[in-house]
PDB file of all heavy atoms in Angstrom:
ATOM      1  N   VAL A1357    -208.963 103.294  48.503  1.00 40.00           N
ATOM      2  CA  VAL A1357    -208.732 102.099  47.692  1.00 40.00           C
ATOM      3  C   VAL A1357    -209.777 101.800  46.736  1.00 40.00           C
ATOM      4  O   VAL A1357    -209.608 101.244  45.683  1.00 40.00           O
ATOM      5  CB  VAL A1357    -208.562 100.879  48.691  1.00 40.00           C
ATOM      6  CG1 VAL A1357    -208.435  99.555  47.920  1.00 40.00           C
ATOM      7  CG2 VAL A1357    -207.316 101.042  49.565  1.00 40.00           C
ATOM      8  N   ALA A1358    -211.026 102.319  47.049  1.00 43.00           N
ATOM      9  CA  ALA A1358    -212.139 102.104  46.108  1.00 43.00           C
ATOM     10  C   ALA A1358    -211.929 102.816  44.822  1.00 43.00           C
ATOM     11  O   ALA A1358    -212.403 102.329  43.809  1.00 43.00           O
ATOM     12  CB  ALA A1358    -213.405 102.534  46.807  1.00 43.00           C
ATOM     13  N   SER A1359    -211.272 103.947  44.791  1.00 40.00           N
ATOM     14  CA  SER A1359    -211.138 104.764  43.539  1.00 40.00           C
ATOM     15  C   SER A1359    -209.710 104.797  43.144  1.00 40.00           C
ATOM     16  O   SER A1359    -209.425 105.201  42.045  1.00 40.00           O
ATOM     17  CB  SER A1359    -211.569 106.176  43.804  1.00 40.00           C
ATOM     18  OG  SER A1359    -210.855 106.784  44.839  1.00 40.00           O
ATOM     19  N   GLU A1360    -208.781 104.321  43.896  1.00 66.00           N
ATOM     20  CA  GLU A1360    -207.334 104.303  43.545  1.00 66.00           C
ATOM     21  C   GLU A1360    -206.748 102.874  43.357  1.00 66.00           C
ATOM     22  O   GLU A1360    -207.442 101.909  43.694  1.00 66.00           O
ATOM     23  CB  GLU A1360    -206.527 105.036  44.601  1.00 66.00           C
ATOM     24  CG  GLU A1360    -206.897 106.519  44.806  1.00 66.00           C
ATOM     25  CD  GLU A1360    -206.581 107.385  43.629  1.00 66.00           C
ATOM     26  OE1 GLU A1360    -205.838 106.970  42.762  1.00 66.00           O
ATOM     27  OE2 GLU A1360    -207.149 108.472  43.575  1.00 66.00           O
ATOM     28  N   ASP A1361    -205.573 102.862  42.830  1.00 84.00           N
ATOM     29  CA  ASP A1361    -205.036 101.620  42.531  1.00 84.00           C
ATOM     30  C   ASP A1361    -204.437 100.954  43.847  1.00 84.00           C
ATOM     31  O   ASP A1361    -203.977 101.567  44.715  1.00 84.00           O
ATOM     32  CB  ASP A1361    -203.728 101.909  41.584  1.00 84.00           C
ATOM     33  CG  ASP A1361    -203.130 100.620  41.027  1.00 84.00           C
ATOM     34  OD1 ASP A1361    -202.247 100.045  41.847  1.00 84.00           O
ATOM     35  OD2 ASP A1361    -203.496 100.097  40.018  1.00 84.00           O
ATOM     36  N   TYR A1362    -204.675  99.674  43.920  1.00 90.00           N
ATOM     37  CA  TYR A1362    -204.252  98.951  45.086  1.00 90.00           C
ATOM     38  C   TYR A1362    -202.724  99.044  45.314  1.00 90.00           C
ATOM     39  O   TYR A1362    -202.186  99.098  46.502  1.00 90.00           O
ATOM     40  CB  TYR A1362    -204.545  97.410  45.053  1.00 90.00           C
ATOM     41  CG  TYR A1362    -206.000  97.073  45.254  1.00 90.00           C
ATOM     42  CD1 TYR A1362    -206.639  95.963  44.614  1.00 90.00           C
ATOM     43  CD2 TYR A1362    -206.787  97.913  46.193  1.00 90.00           C
ATOM     44  CE1 TYR A1362    -207.906  95.692  44.873  1.00 90.00           C
ATOM     45  CE2 TYR A1362    -208.047  97.529  46.370  1.00 90.00           C
ATOM     46  CZ  TYR A1362    -208.660  96.446  45.771  1.00 90.00           C
ATOM     47  OH  TYR A1362    -210.002  96.174  46.042  1.00 90.00           O
ATOM     48  N   TYR A1363    -201.983  99.024  44.203  1.00 90.00           N
ATOM     49  CA  TYR A1363    -200.495  99.231  44.309  1.00 90.00           C
ATOM     50  C   TYR A1363    -200.178 100.531  44.824  1.00 90.00           C
ATOM     51  O   TYR A1363    -199.281 100.716  45.766  1.00 90.00           O
ATOM     52  CB  TYR A1363    -199.816  99.009  42.996  1.00 90.00           C
ATOM     53  CG  TYR A1363    -199.880  97.521  42.439  1.00 90.00           C
ATOM     54  CD1 TYR A1363    -200.880  97.189  41.492  1.00 90.00           C
ATOM     55  CD2 TYR A1363    -199.008  96.624  42.863  1.00 90.00           C
ATOM     56  CE1 TYR A1363    -200.953  95.986  41.071  1.00 90.00           C
ATOM     57  CE2 TYR A1363    -199.103  95.328  42.367  1.00 90.00           C
ATOM     58  CZ  TYR A1363    -200.023  94.968  41.468  1.00 90.00           C
ATOM     59  OH  TYR A1363    -200.140  93.727  40.943  1.00 90.00           O
ATOM     60  N   GLU A1364    -200.859 101.549  44.449  1.00 89.00           N
ATOM     61  CA  GLU A1364    -200.713 102.945  44.888  1.00 89.00           C
ATOM     62  C   GLU A1364    -200.981 103.044  46.445  1.00 89.00           C
ATOM     63  O   GLU A1364    -200.396 103.747  47.127  1.00 89.00           O
ATOM     64  CB  GLU A1364    -201.475 103.967  44.104  1.00 89.00           C
ATOM     65  CG  GLU A1364    -201.021 104.117  42.673  1.00 89.00           C
ATOM     66  CD  GLU A1364    -201.792 105.157  41.943  1.00 89.00           C
ATOM     67  OE1 GLU A1364    -202.722 105.778  42.563  1.00 89.00           O
ATOM     68  OE2 GLU A1364    -201.614 105.299  40.696  1.00 89.00           O
ATOM     69  N   ALA A1365    -202.058 102.350  46.770  1.00 88.00           N
ATOM     70  CA  ALA A1365    -202.481 102.353  48.165  1.00 88.00           C
ATOM     71  C   ALA A1365    -201.358 101.866  49.136  1.00 88.00           C
ATOM     72  O   ALA A1365    -201.201 102.377  50.246  1.00 88.00           O
ATOM     73  CB  ALA A1365    -203.749 101.445  48.430  1.00 88.00           C
ATOM     74  N   LEU A1366    -200.642 100.893  48.639  1.00 90.00           N
ATOM     75  CA  LEU A1366    -199.552 100.310  49.460  1.00 90.00           C
ATOM     76  C   LEU A1366    -198.192 100.974  49.148  1.00 90.00           C
ATOM     77  O   LEU A1366    -197.232 100.752  49.825  1.00 90.00           O
ATOM     78  CB  LEU A1366    -199.461  98.857  49.282  1.00 90.00           C
ATOM     79  CG  LEU A1366    -200.627  97.948  49.748  1.00 90.00           C
ATOM     80  CD1 LEU A1366    -200.406  96.522  49.416  1.00 90.00           C
ATOM     81  CD2 LEU A1366    -200.771  98.170  51.215  1.00 90.00           C
ATOM     82  N   GLY A1367    -198.227 101.818  48.086  1.00 91.00           N
ATOM     83  CA  GLY A1367    -196.964 102.555  47.757  1.00 91.00           C
ATOM     84  C   GLY A1367    -195.919 101.653  47.111  1.00 91.00           C
ATOM     85  O   GLY A1367    -194.654 101.893  47.414  1.00 91.00           O
ATOM     86  N   VAL A1368    -196.364 100.652  46.353  1.00 92.00           N
ATOM     87  CA  VAL A1368    -195.348  99.796  45.693  1.00 92.00           C
ATOM     88  C   VAL A1368    -195.590  99.779  44.180  1.00 92.00           C
ATOM     89  O   VAL A1368    -196.748 100.029  43.731  1.00 92.00           O
ATOM     90  CB  VAL A1368    -195.522  98.286  46.261  1.00 92.00           C
ATOM     91  CG1 VAL A1368    -195.206  98.300  47.663  1.00 92.00           C
ATOM     92  CG2 VAL A1368    -196.892  97.773  45.988  1.00 92.00           C
ATOM     93  N   PRO A1369    -194.607  99.501  43.379  1.00 92.00           N
ATOM     94  CA  PRO A1369    -194.824  99.361  41.919  1.00 92.00           C
ATOM     95  C   PRO A1369    -195.555  98.180  41.526  1.00 92.00           C
ATOM     96  O   PRO A1369    -195.670  97.210  42.382  1.00 92.00           O
ATOM     97  CB  PRO A1369    -193.333  99.337  41.394  1.00 92.00           C
ATOM     98  CG  PRO A1369    -192.607  98.819  42.492  1.00 92.00           C
ATOM     99  CD  PRO A1369    -193.174  99.325  43.773  1.00 92.00           C
ATOM    100  N   ARG A1370    -196.093  98.110  40.357  1.00 91.00           N
ATOM    101  CA  ARG A1370    -196.873  96.936  39.988  1.00 91.00           C
ATOM    102  C   ARG A1370    -196.117  95.660  39.769  1.00 91.00           C
ATOM    103  O   ARG A1370    -196.665  94.612  39.864  1.00 91.00           O
ATOM    104  CB  ARG A1370    -197.584  97.264  38.563  1.00 91.00           C
ATOM    105  CG  ARG A1370    -198.481  98.450  38.592  1.00 91.00           C
ATOM    106  CD  ARG A1370    -199.335  98.633  37.348  1.00 91.00           C
ATOM    107  NE  ARG A1370    -200.367  97.597  37.289  1.00 91.00           N
ATOM    108  CZ  ARG A1370    -201.537  97.724  37.798  1.00 91.00           C
ATOM    109  NH1 ARG A1370    -201.789  98.687  38.565  1.00 91.00           N
ATOM    110  NH2 ARG A1370    -202.381  96.680  37.746  1.00 91.00           N
ATOM    111  N   ASP A1371    -194.741  95.762  39.678  1.00 90.00           N
ATOM    112  CA  ASP A1371    -193.944  94.585  39.557  1.00 90.00           C
ATOM    113  C   ASP A1371    -193.377  94.193  40.896  1.00 90.00           C
ATOM    114  O   ASP A1371    -192.278  93.485  40.917  1.00 90.00           O
ATOM    115  CB  ASP A1371    -192.823  94.771  38.509  1.00 90.00           C
ATOM    116  CG  ASP A1371    -191.898  95.930  38.869  1.00 90.00           C
ATOM    117  OD1 ASP A1371    -192.210  96.694  39.721  1.00 90.00           O
ATOM    118  OD2 ASP A1371    -190.865  96.102  38.064  1.00 90.00           O
ATOM    119  N   ALA A1372    -193.803  94.794  41.984  1.00 91.00           N
ATOM    120  CA  ALA A1372    -193.303  94.501  43.303  1.00 91.00           C
ATOM    121  C   ALA A1372    -193.398  93.014  43.628  1.00 91.00           C
ATOM    122  O   ALA A1372    -194.325  92.363  43.286  1.00 91.00           O
ATOM    123  CB  ALA A1372    -194.046  95.369  44.311  1.00 91.00           C
ATOM    124  N   SER A1373    -192.384  92.562  44.403  1.00 92.00           N
ATOM    125  CA  SER A1373    -192.385  91.194  44.758  1.00 92.00           C
ATOM    126  C   SER A1373    -193.318  90.923  45.972  1.00 92.00           C
ATOM    127  O   SER A1373    -193.790  91.951  46.564  1.00 92.00           O
ATOM    128  CB  SER A1373    -190.986  90.742  45.171  1.00 92.00           C
ATOM    129  OG  SER A1373    -190.634  91.387  46.367  1.00 92.00           O
ATOM    130  N   ALA A1374    -193.739  89.697  46.214  1.00 90.00           N
ATOM    131  CA  ALA A1374    -194.611  89.355  47.271  1.00 90.00           C
ATOM    132  C   ALA A1374    -194.075  89.955  48.619  1.00 90.00           C
ATOM    133  O   ALA A1374    -194.766  90.453  49.514  1.00 90.00           O
ATOM    134  CB  ALA A1374    -194.822  87.916  47.399  1.00 90.00           C
ATOM    135  N   GLU A1375    -192.745  89.822  48.802  1.00 89.00           N
ATOM    136  CA  GLU A1375    -192.092  90.275  50.008  1.00 89.00           C
ATOM    137  C   GLU A1375    -192.080  91.806  50.063  1.00 89.00           C
ATOM    138  O   GLU A1375    -192.290  92.380  51.168  1.00 89.00           O
ATOM    139  CB  GLU A1375    -190.635  89.812  50.056  1.00 89.00           C
ATOM    140  CG  GLU A1375    -189.837  90.236  51.289  1.00 89.00           C
ATOM    141  CD  GLU A1375    -190.485  89.727  52.580  1.00 89.00           C
ATOM    142  OE1 GLU A1375    -191.232  88.712  52.619  1.00 89.00           O
ATOM    143  OE2 GLU A1375    -190.308  90.456  53.689  1.00 89.00           O
ATOM    144  N   ASP A1376    -191.993  92.468  48.975  1.00 91.00           N
ATOM    145  CA  ASP A1376    -192.068  93.916  48.976  1.00 91.00           C
ATOM    146  C   ASP A1376    -193.451  94.395  49.442  1.00 91.00           C
ATOM    147  O   ASP A1376    -193.614  95.371  50.205  1.00 91.00           O
ATOM    148  CB  ASP A1376    -191.703  94.526  47.557  1.00 91.00           C
ATOM    149  CG  ASP A1376    -190.253  94.420  47.322  1.00 91.00           C
ATOM    150  OD1 ASP A1376    -189.464  94.258  48.161  1.00 91.00           O
ATOM    151  OD2 ASP A1376    -189.934  94.368  46.084  1.00 91.00           O
ATOM    152  N   ILE A1377    -194.435  93.657  48.905  1.00 91.00           N
ATOM    153  CA  ILE A1377    -195.819  94.079  49.255  1.00 91.00           C
ATOM    154  C   ILE A1377    -196.063  93.786  50.711  1.00 91.00           C
ATOM    155  O   ILE A1377    -196.674  94.585  51.400  1.00 91.00           O
ATOM    156  CB  ILE A1377    -196.836  93.207  48.379  1.00 91.00           C
ATOM    157  CG1 ILE A1377    -196.727  93.660  46.861  1.00 91.00           C
ATOM    158  CG2 ILE A1377    -198.210  93.309  48.872  1.00 91.00           C
ATOM    159  CD1 ILE A1377    -197.464  92.792  45.890  1.00 91.00           C
ATOM    160  N   ARG A1378    -195.601  92.721  51.154  1.00 88.00           N
ATOM    161  CA  ARG A1378    -195.827  92.378  52.539  1.00 88.00           C
ATOM    162  C   ARG A1378    -195.127  93.343  53.487  1.00 88.00           C
ATOM    163  O   ARG A1378    -195.694  93.834  54.456  1.00 88.00           O
ATOM    164  CB  ARG A1378    -195.319  90.963  52.779  1.00 88.00           C
ATOM    165  CG  ARG A1378    -195.488  90.434  54.276  1.00 88.00           C
ATOM    166  CD  ARG A1378    -195.155  88.955  54.372  1.00 88.00           C
ATOM    167  NE  ARG A1378    -195.247  88.382  55.683  1.00 88.00           N
ATOM    168  CZ  ARG A1378    -194.316  88.441  56.615  1.00 88.00           C
ATOM    169  NH1 ARG A1378    -193.135  88.865  56.290  1.00 88.00           N
ATOM    170  NH2 ARG A1378    -194.489  87.963  57.759  1.00 88.00           N
ATOM    171  N   ARG A1379    -193.883  93.721  53.064  1.00 89.00           N
ATOM    172  CA  ARG A1379    -193.119  94.681  53.899  1.00 89.00           C
ATOM    173  C   ARG A1379    -193.812  96.099  54.020  1.00 89.00           C
ATOM    174  O   ARG A1379    -193.909  96.750  55.086  1.00 89.00           O
ATOM    175  CB  ARG A1379    -191.720  94.787  53.393  1.00 89.00           C
ATOM    176  CG  ARG A1379    -190.791  95.569  54.315  1.00 89.00           C
ATOM    177  CD  ARG A1379    -189.331  95.668  53.715  1.00 89.00           C
ATOM    178  NE  ARG A1379    -188.740  94.332  53.525  1.00 89.00           N
ATOM    179  CZ  ARG A1379    -188.550  93.904  52.310  1.00 89.00           C
ATOM    180  NH1 ARG A1379    -188.803  94.540  51.235  1.00 89.00           N
ATOM    181  NH2 ARG A1379    -187.992  92.652  52.244  1.00 89.00           N
ATOM    182  N   ALA A1380    -194.346  96.445  52.840  1.00 90.00           N
ATOM    183  CA  ALA A1380    -194.979  97.839  52.746  1.00 90.00           C
ATOM    184  C   ALA A1380    -196.288  97.753  53.588  1.00 90.00           C
ATOM    185  O   ALA A1380    -196.565  98.683  54.272  1.00 90.00           O
ATOM    186  CB  ALA A1380    -195.344  98.097  51.303  1.00 90.00           C
ATOM    187  N   TYR A1381    -197.003  96.704  53.458  1.00 88.00           N
ATOM    188  CA  TYR A1381    -198.232  96.579  54.263  1.00 88.00           C
ATOM    189  C   TYR A1381    -197.965  96.593  55.772  1.00 88.00           C
ATOM    190  O   TYR A1381    -198.688  97.269  56.575  1.00 88.00           O
ATOM    191  CB  TYR A1381    -199.007  95.341  53.962  1.00 88.00           C
ATOM    192  CG  TYR A1381    -200.218  95.038  54.803  1.00 88.00           C
ATOM    193  CD1 TYR A1381    -201.363  95.872  54.770  1.00 88.00           C
ATOM    194  CD2 TYR A1381    -200.150  93.960  55.694  1.00 88.00           C
ATOM    195  CE1 TYR A1381    -202.424  95.649  55.590  1.00 88.00           C
ATOM    196  CE2 TYR A1381    -201.243  93.748  56.547  1.00 88.00           C
ATOM    197  CZ  TYR A1381    -202.285  94.548  56.511  1.00 88.00           C
ATOM    198  OH  TYR A1381    -203.428  94.379  57.322  1.00 88.00           O
ATOM    199  N   ARG A1382    -196.931  95.896  56.232  1.00 85.00           N
ATOM    200  CA  ARG A1382    -196.618  95.798  57.661  1.00 85.00           C
ATOM    201  C   ARG A1382    -196.271  97.232  58.150  1.00 85.00           C
ATOM    202  O   ARG A1382    -196.678  97.648  59.250  1.00 85.00           O
ATOM    203  CB  ARG A1382    -195.370  94.894  57.820  1.00 85.00           C
ATOM    204  CG  ARG A1382    -195.734  93.485  57.582  1.00 85.00           C
ATOM    205  CD  ARG A1382    -194.439  92.552  57.667  1.00 85.00           C
ATOM    206  NE  ARG A1382    -193.952  92.518  58.990  1.00 85.00           N
ATOM    207  CZ  ARG A1382    -192.967  91.719  59.428  1.00 85.00           C
ATOM    208  NH1 ARG A1382    -192.506  90.819  58.587  1.00 85.00           N
ATOM    209  NH2 ARG A1382    -192.514  91.783  60.645  1.00 85.00           N
ATOM    210  N   ALA A1383    -195.494  97.903  57.391  1.00 86.00           N
ATOM    211  CA  ALA A1383    -195.158  99.296  57.855  1.00 86.00           C
ATOM    212  C   ALA A1383    -196.396 100.222  57.897  1.00 86.00           C
ATOM    213  O   ALA A1383    -196.503 100.922  58.900  1.00 86.00           O
ATOM    214  CB  ALA A1383    -194.065  99.875  56.841  1.00 86.00           C
ATOM    215  N   LEU A1384    -197.152 100.172  56.844  1.00 88.00           N
ATOM    216  CA  LEU A1384    -198.368 101.079  56.861  1.00 88.00           C
ATOM    217  C   LEU A1384    -199.437 100.652  57.955  1.00 88.00           C
ATOM    218  O   LEU A1384    -200.047 101.506  58.535  1.00 88.00           O
ATOM    219  CB  LEU A1384    -198.969 101.097  55.523  1.00 88.00           C
ATOM    220  CG  LEU A1384    -198.146 101.802  54.442  1.00 88.00           C
ATOM    221  CD1 LEU A1384    -198.732 101.574  53.032  1.00 88.00           C
ATOM    222  CD2 LEU A1384    -198.052 103.322  54.686  1.00 88.00           C
ATOM    223  N   ALA A1385    -199.487  99.281  58.111  1.00 83.00           N
ATOM    224  CA  ALA A1385    -200.549  98.824  59.076  1.00 83.00           C
ATOM    225  C   ALA A1385    -200.121  99.174  60.500  1.00 83.00           C
ATOM    226  O   ALA A1385    -200.916  99.566  61.264  1.00 83.00           O
ATOM    227  CB  ALA A1385    -200.705  97.342  58.896  1.00 83.00           C
ATOM    228  N   ARG A1386    -198.816  99.206  60.739  1.00 80.00           N
ATOM    229  CA  ARG A1386    -198.353  99.674  62.069  1.00 80.00           C
ATOM    230  C   ARG A1386    -198.716 101.125  62.276  1.00 80.00           C
ATOM    231  O   ARG A1386    -199.092 101.503  63.355  1.00 80.00           O
ATOM    232  CB  ARG A1386    -196.792  99.483  62.200  1.00 80.00           C
ATOM    233  CG  ARG A1386    -196.350  98.117  62.553  1.00 80.00           C
ATOM    234  CD  ARG A1386    -194.934  98.214  62.952  1.00 80.00           C
ATOM    235  NE  ARG A1386    -194.372  96.850  63.278  1.00 80.00           N
ATOM    236  CZ  ARG A1386    -193.623  96.173  62.464  1.00 80.00           C
ATOM    237  NH1 ARG A1386    -193.303  96.713  61.274  1.00 80.00           N
ATOM    238  NH2 ARG A1386    -193.102  94.985  62.751  1.00 80.00           N
ATOM    239  N   GLN A1387    -198.553 101.884  61.211  1.00 85.00           N
ATOM    240  CA  GLN A1387    -198.790 103.324  61.249  1.00 85.00           C
ATOM    241  C   GLN A1387    -200.260 103.668  61.534  1.00 85.00           C
ATOM    242  O   GLN A1387    -200.541 104.534  62.247  1.00 85.00           O
ATOM    243  CB  GLN A1387    -198.224 104.065  60.025  1.00 85.00           C
ATOM    244  CG  GLN A1387    -198.454 105.530  59.932  1.00 85.00           C
ATOM    245  CD  GLN A1387    -197.949 106.126  58.711  1.00 85.00           C
ATOM    246  OE1 GLN A1387    -197.292 105.463  57.875  1.00 85.00           O
ATOM    247  NE2 GLN A1387    -198.185 107.421  58.480  1.00 85.00           N
ATOM    248  N   TYR A1388    -201.167 102.978  60.853  1.00 84.00           N
ATOM    249  CA  TYR A1388    -202.552 103.337  60.834  1.00 84.00           C
ATOM    250  C   TYR A1388    -203.409 102.342  61.686  1.00 84.00           C
ATOM    251  O   TYR A1388    -204.657 102.531  61.748  1.00 84.00           O
ATOM    252  CB  TYR A1388    -203.132 103.368  59.451  1.00 84.00           C
ATOM    253  CG  TYR A1388    -202.571 104.515  58.596  1.00 84.00           C
ATOM    254  CD1 TYR A1388    -201.526 104.272  57.755  1.00 84.00           C
ATOM    255  CD2 TYR A1388    -203.047 105.816  58.794  1.00 84.00           C
ATOM    256  CE1 TYR A1388    -201.044 105.348  56.993  1.00 84.00           C
ATOM    257  CE2 TYR A1388    -202.520 106.890  58.036  1.00 84.00           C
ATOM    258  CZ  TYR A1388    -201.567 106.630  57.098  1.00 84.00           C
ATOM    259  OH  TYR A1388    -201.042 107.644  56.433  1.00 84.00           O
ATOM    260  N   HIS A1389    -202.853 101.428  62.419  1.00 80.00           N
ATOM    261  CA  HIS A1389    -203.588 100.488  63.182  1.00 80.00           C
ATOM    262  C   HIS A1389    -204.429 101.289  64.247  1.00 80.00           C
ATOM    263  O   HIS A1389    -203.896 102.246  64.968  1.00 80.00           O
ATOM    264  CB  HIS A1389    -202.786  99.468  63.880  1.00 80.00           C
ATOM    265  CG  HIS A1389    -203.506  98.388  64.515  1.00 80.00           C
ATOM    266  ND1 HIS A1389    -204.149  98.411  65.720  1.00 80.00           N
ATOM    267  CD2 HIS A1389    -203.845  97.107  64.017  1.00 80.00           C
ATOM    268  CE1 HIS A1389    -204.751  97.324  65.967  1.00 80.00           C
ATOM    269  NE2 HIS A1389    -204.629  96.496  64.980  1.00 80.00           N
TER     270      HIS A1389
END
Side-chain angles (χ1 to χ4, degrees):
V1357 175
S1359 59
E1360 300 291 346
D1361 188 274
Y1362 283 150
Y1363 292 99
E1364 292 181 6
L1366 295 176
V1368 296
R1370 300 189 72 84
D1371 59 352
S1373 67
E1375 181 58 29
D1376 289 339
I1377 292 172
R1378 183 171 179 269
R1379 189 181 300 114
Y1381 173 68
R1382 291 174 65 168
L1384 290 170
R1386 278 194 184 101
Q1387 180 180 352
Y1388 291 102
H1389 192 278

